[in-house]
Amino acid sequence: MSIERPDPSALTPYPIATNNSSPTAVSYAGGAPLVPGHAGGPQKLIPTIVYCTSEDDNFPVTELCRAVPSTRGWQSVKHCNYPQQIGIRFDGEVYIEQIQFLSHESKIASRIEVHIAEASETEKAHRVFPPYEQCAFRNMGYVAMKNNANSQFKSGEMRSCLLRSKVLFIKLLLWEPHKNSLNFYQQIGLASIICVGGVTVPFVPSTTHPHQRSTIGGVRSLIDDARAKEQRP
């Protein structure tokens, strides 16, 4: 897949929270009103993966949807092209206060860009997801990841960023890994993605757009499409 590289000078880093921040400590001031049942404040939102450029067969991208300690996390294929892209949606329009990224201990992207697509009034009225590939995304900035040499690559790094935006989809662009002797195949990986916020306009699952490929098979189809494009002369 061919993706235009953004001009680094046009990007603005996120305000990075301290690594010991927790979802319960997030301020919800200015947040959008939540749907009934979510009035207690921000909470972890369960993502659905709708797009992925590549995945290692042993570390599929759908592992990022498993918010459990036993998750294997996601890893790109060996010697992949960069940036890698992951597309995410939730149960409708959501207000996201904070995103937390837990990196692989040695397969570490140098930075993660966050782009968002907002829901139109028509989509909110009909509660229908548009095709991910046709959405207009806005670049919100990036999180710079450390090379993790200080931990001797024994534990992953958690980085947090404040988003405080209504979103329908999130597009993550993950750039070339920090070089180290343990990452033989120049892969990148994430152990988890945690989005903290709440649903503002729930979409009915049965009304998902027919072209919205959000199942495991659909994600694999998108990965195959991306690989085919990369192999074309």
Side-chain angles (χ1 to χ4, degrees), residues 26-215:
V26 175
S27 171
Y28 212 52
L34 306 182
V35 298
H38 295 270
Q43 57 188 266
K44 292 181 181 179
L45 298 170
I46 304 300
T48 296
I49 306 297
V50 296
Y51 189 94
C52 184
T53 313
S54 77
E55 63 181 3
D56 186 294
D57 290 340
N58 294 317
F59 302 93
V61 70
T62 48
E63 285 291 300
L64 295 177
C65 302
R66 300 178 63 238
V68 294
S70 60
T71 179
R72 291 172 288 167
W74 163 81
Q75 293 182 23
S76 67
V77 295
K78 299 174 181 178
H79 299 299
C80 62
N81 293 333
Y82 290 99
Q84 291 285 291
Q85 181 182 155
I86 297 175
I88 299 170
R89 73 162 173 82
F90 301 92
D91 291 334
E93 181 194 69
V94 295
Y95 176 84
I96 294 183
E97 177 75 19
Q98 182 187 83
I99 304 178
Q100 297 177 337
F101 300 103
L102 179 59
S103 177
H104 186 272
E105 57 269 20
S106 62
K107 300 172 182 178
I108 310 163
S110 55
R111 76 180 186 205
I112 303 174
E113 290 181 27
V114 180
H115 301 241
I116 67 170
E118 299 168 317
S120 68
E121 293 303 318
T122 300
E123 289 157 0
K124 287 190 285 187
H126 295 282
R127 302 188 178 189
V128 175
F129 286 102
Y132 170 83
E133 299 91 334
Q134 296 179 15
C135 290
F137 285 88
R138 179 158 53 98
N139 189 342
M140 302 297 288
Y142 67 90
V143 176
M145 307 299 288
K146 298 179 181 178
N147 63 20
N148 210 24
N150 288 341
S151 75
Q152 298 182 333
F153 312 108
K154 293 181 179 179
S155 61
E157 178 193 14
M158 172 75 80
R159 298 305 296 269
S160 303
C161 65
L162 300 176
L163 193 59
R164 292 178 176 168
S165 299
K166 291 181 181 180
V167 307
L168 191 60
F169 292 102
I170 295 177
K171 176 171 67 176
L172 302 175
L173 296 183
L174 300 98
W175 291 80
E176 289 89 345
H178 289 291
K179 293 183 179 180
N180 63 70
S181 60
L182 299 179
N183 191 4
F184 301 107
Y185 304 109
Q186 295 301 294
Q187 294 169 275
I188 54 175
L190 287 173
S192 68
I193 300 173
I194 298 174
C195 295
V196 180
V199 178
T200 56
V201 181
F203 282 29
V204 180
S206 61
T207 62
T208 298
H209 194 284
H211 296 110
Q212 183 64 47
R213 295 179 286 184
S214 59
T215 63

